Amino acid sequence: MNTFEIEAYINDHSSVLTDFRNKYLNFSNSKNANRSTDKKWSNLRIEREADKAVNNFIAQITSNISPRFKIEVQHLLY
């Protein structure tokens, strides 16, 4: 499975990515509210940071699943 397949599977069977993104956005917005006016991030930057965090989360899941998945497929083939 590649990253896109894993993301599609997770989205189809769970709301964990949506929940993770919403919590990350809430955290980033609250952190941004505490920044001084000249250092506040734009909403676009906050959205991009949330997208990066979700992509990193999916990449971690992929890196943890892929080796195990390959071993199981090898056992099934031999």
Side-chain angles (χ1 to χ4, degrees):
M1 292 181 99
N2 64 28
T3 304
F4 300 111
E5 292 171 336
I6 290 174
E7 181 179 5
Y9 182 84
I10 292 172
N11 279 329
D12 291 344
H13 295 90
S14 144
S15 65
V16 76
L17 293 180
T18 305
D19 294 343
F20 178 82
R21 188 173 198 287
N22 289 337
K23 286 183 181 184
Y24 192 88
L25 283 172
N26 288 338
F27 170 76
S28 295
N29 283 322
S30 67
K31 192 174 177 182
N32 198 40
N34 294 330
R35 288 189 176 103
S36 62
T37 306
D38 59 328
K39 294 187 178 188
K40 284 194 179 196
W41 291 1
S42 67
N43 287 337
L44 182 60
R45 181 167 180 186
I46 292 172
E47 292 284 332
R48 287 181 183 162
E49 291 294 324
D51 290 340
K52 282 183 198 177
V54 170
N55 289 338
N56 287 338
F57 181 65
I58 295 168
Q60 287 177 345
I61 292 170
T62 304
S63 68
N64 287 332
I65 291 175
S66 291
R68 293 182 184 131
F69 183 72
K70 288 176 185 175
I71 290 171
E72 288 180 23
V73 169
Q74 287 176 353
H75 287 298
L76 293 174
L77 292 175
Y78 298 110

